[in-house]
Amino acid sequence: MSSFGADLSSLNWMATRLDAALGWARKFSIFQYPFVTACCGMEYMATATSHYDMDRFGAGFPRFSPRQADVLFVVGTVSHKIAPVLKRVYDQMTEPKWVVAFGVCTCTGGFYDNYATVRGIDTIIPVDIYIPGCPPRPENVLDGLIKLQEKIAQGARVTVPQGSSARPADFETPHTPETHL
Amino acid sequence: MDSEQQAVPLIMRVQQRFPQWVIASHQYRGQETVLIHREGFLEMAQFLRDDPGMAFDFLMDTSCVDYLKFGKIQSSSPTLTTPSPLPYYMKPKPLTQTWTRLVSNDEYRFDVVYHFYSSIHNHRLRVKVPLRAAESNIPSVSGLWATANWFEREIWDMFGIRFTGHPNLKRILMYEGFEGHPLRKDYPVRKRQPLIGPVN
Ligand code: SF4
């Protein structure tokens, strides 16, 4: 039995090495699903095309089917009407999957503090990386992409499923529109 | 249509035809506006479209105004009564024209505003129908001008004005299940909807 235990431990070692190898492979083969709804889309295109060349980081292949994608790029303002569609697209993606919130509209709702806009997509789906900016510059986007790659390589996943508690603390700005009335 | 009829302003002709329904009318730089009671509105709309002297064949726009808090809000931003402080090199503009609504804001909360255009006579008329908050409904004119159909749906969606006789009075911009009418002045600024939540 003791020899069997030794086998198990070596199997464990093998498994962690396999995870690391998988993470390394995954981070350079990001198939992204661009969920583009608004003006941030222009900046997304600037990042994706040859001038900034997202393909350098292995994320050069957008798939327009959620079944073939593993990173969901949510780019642009998400209104209440499109929110169920976004949730559905997320649910259709196969594991493992990651979500990038691109632009302040997707991070917190941005300046659209009104009846029609979702105040941050993390109220609907979990988010791995937030890229703030209105719109974020391509350098900023690539920075976020590299951070996502680090996260993928570590095999880290979102632990808090959804809700504003998952949001970084510095996104919680006090907001009191009543004082202006 | 002869030229002497042309000379008579539209608001005068409407006034003569419906003296019992017209509340007030005014004219500013050739733009004619008539305020009318809701009860006579449909009859007047029919007249505006079918009378050869009127011949309003085009309903350009329909909108609504909520006067619930009009002139009652203390604001840090400039308003009609409290202008922002001007820099020393600017002189304040004299207020030559002051605007009055002609009906009481307390009694009539809403105004439904119609803009008509006649491509035959090339003239325009603005019709305002003041509505009380308790009875915020008005006859639909979608049977007279087909374009009113979506305008009225939008007003229902945003202000909650009911258009009686409308064939399909559903929300047009927001979704089914949205609570409240967001452009009403008493819609809470920070209200969250049940579809997204968290409901507050
Ligand atoms: S963050 Fe700014 S640029 Fe991006 S979608 Fe929102 S408003 Fe447009």
Side-chain angles (χ1 to χ4, degrees):
Chain A
M1 275 298 151
S2 62
S3 62
F4 188 64
D7 276 351
L8 258 187
S9 69
S10 68
L11 214 62
N12 246 341
W13 182 85
M14 279 288 287
T16 46
R17 298 327 295 156
L18 193 64
D19 272 355
L22 265 182
W24 179 84
R26 272 178 186 149
K27 81 173 187 179
F28 290 122
S29 57
I30 292 173
F31 281 27
Q32 14 136 354
Y33 180 95
F35 190 89
V36 179
T37 54
C39 21
C40 267
M42 301 313 291
E43 213 61 20
Y44 169 78
M45 289 172 220
T47 318
T49 49
S50 53
H51 198 88
Y52 286 93
D53 196 10
M54 239 182 195
D55 206 7
R56 290 180 291 164
F57 305 96
F61 198 29
R63 305 302 300 155
F64 294 102
S65 161
R67 308 245 185 241
Q68 300 169 355
D70 47 18
V71 173
L72 176 61
F73 268 71
V74 187
V75 182
T77 324
V78 176
S79 67
H80 285 190
K81 266 186 156 175
I82 204 81
V85 179
L86 175 63
K87 175 92 174 98
R88 183 149 186 197
V89 166
Y90 177 78
D91 289 342
Q92 283 178 338
M93 288 170 66
T94 49
E95 295 280 349
K97 54 189 172 184
W98 293 270
V99 177
V100 175
F102 187 117
V104 283
C105 278
T106 52
C107 294
T108 64
F111 50 74
Y112 296 112
D113 188 6
N114 59 22
Y115 55 89
T117 307
V118 175
R119 305 290 294 151
I121 57 165
D122 51 11
T123 53
I124 320 167
I125 55 174
V127 173
D128 291 85
I129 295 289
Y130 297 86
I131 305 175
C134 181
R137 279 200 54 83
E139 293 87 346
N140 205 351
V141 178
L142 294 178
D143 187 44
L145 189 67
I146 291 167
K147 286 204 166 60
L148 177 70
Q149 286 183 329
E150 285 166 10
K151 199 167 178 180
I152 294 176
Q154 289 164 4
R157 311 296 310 281
V158 175
T159 45
V160 185
Q162 70 181 65
S164 51
S165 55
R167 190 178 287 179
D170 42 334
F171 283 176
E172 292 296 339
T173 49
H175 178 61
T176 51
E178 295 86 1
T179 55
H180 300 291
L181 298 177
Chain B
M1 177 180 167
D2 45 302
S3 55
E4 76 224 36
Q5 203 183 359
Q6 181 94 57
V8 182
L10 292 169
I11 50 178
M12 295 301 293
R13 281 188 260 163
V14 173
Q15 175 82 52
Q16 280 159 14
R17 175 78 193 237
F18 302 104
Q20 73 278 32
W21 299 126
V22 172
I23 302 168
S25 60
H26 58 85
Q27 197 172 5
Y28 177 72
R29 293 190 178 169
Q31 298 179 6
E32 298 176 61
T33 305
V34 55
L35 272 73
I36 189 163
H37 280 298
R38 179 186 60 170
E39 289 71 25
F41 173 65
L42 197 58
E43 195 187 335
M44 183 191 149
Q46 186 87 49
F47 167 73
L48 289 182
R49 191 189 69 160
D50 295 338
D51 184 73
M54 292 289 181
F56 286 105
D57 48 3
F58 181 26
L59 173 60
M60 292 170 64
D61 191 16
T62 308
S63 58
C64 183
V65 189
D66 184 356
Y67 286 96
L68 181 70
K69 298 182 180 178
F70 187 77
K72 290 177 190 158
I73 297 170
Q74 295 295 312
S75 174
S76 55
S77 56
T79 64
L80 285 177
T81 48
T82 57
S84 58
L86 290 172
Y88 67 94
Y89 51 84
M90 284 177 73
K91 286 204 180 69
K93 271 189 194 159
L95 282 174
T96 50
Q97 298 273 346
T98 49
W99 180 79
T100 47
R101 196 186 162 205
L102 304 173
V103 291
S104 153
N105 291 342
D106 295 329
E107 189 181 356
Y108 293 100
R109 176 171 168 187
F110 299 104
D111 258 0
V112 181
V113 188
Y114 296 83
H115 292 97
F116 296 109
Y117 175 67
S118 166
S119 63
I120 295 159
H121 304 309
N122 189 23
H123 58 204
R124 292 160 204 269
L125 181 67
R126 181 187 297 127
V127 177
K128 293 184 182 179
V129 188
L131 296 179
R132 293 184 179 87
E135 37 190 63
S136 54
N137 56 341
I138 182 170
S140 166
V141 290
S142 54
L144 299 176
W145 293 273
T147 185
N149 190 318
W150 280 17
F151 285 147
E152 291 174 351
R153 280 177 67 185
E154 185 183 352
I155 295 173
W156 157 247
D157 194 356
M158 293 289 132
F159 289 95
I161 307 288
R162 281 196 176 276
F163 289 86
T164 49
H166 191 285
N168 181 28
L169 195 62
K170 290 195 303 188
R171 290 185 182 275
I172 189 168
L173 297 175
M174 308 314 295
Y175 45 92
E176 293 300 324
F178 188 89
E179 288 181 357
H181 301 281
L183 291 194
R184 284 192 171 201
K185 293 297 178 192
D186 52 2
Y187 183 87
V189 181
R190 307 187 72 180
K191 183 174 165 62
R192 298 284 171 260
Q193 291 291 327
L195 178 67
I196 305 299
V199 178
N200 51 2

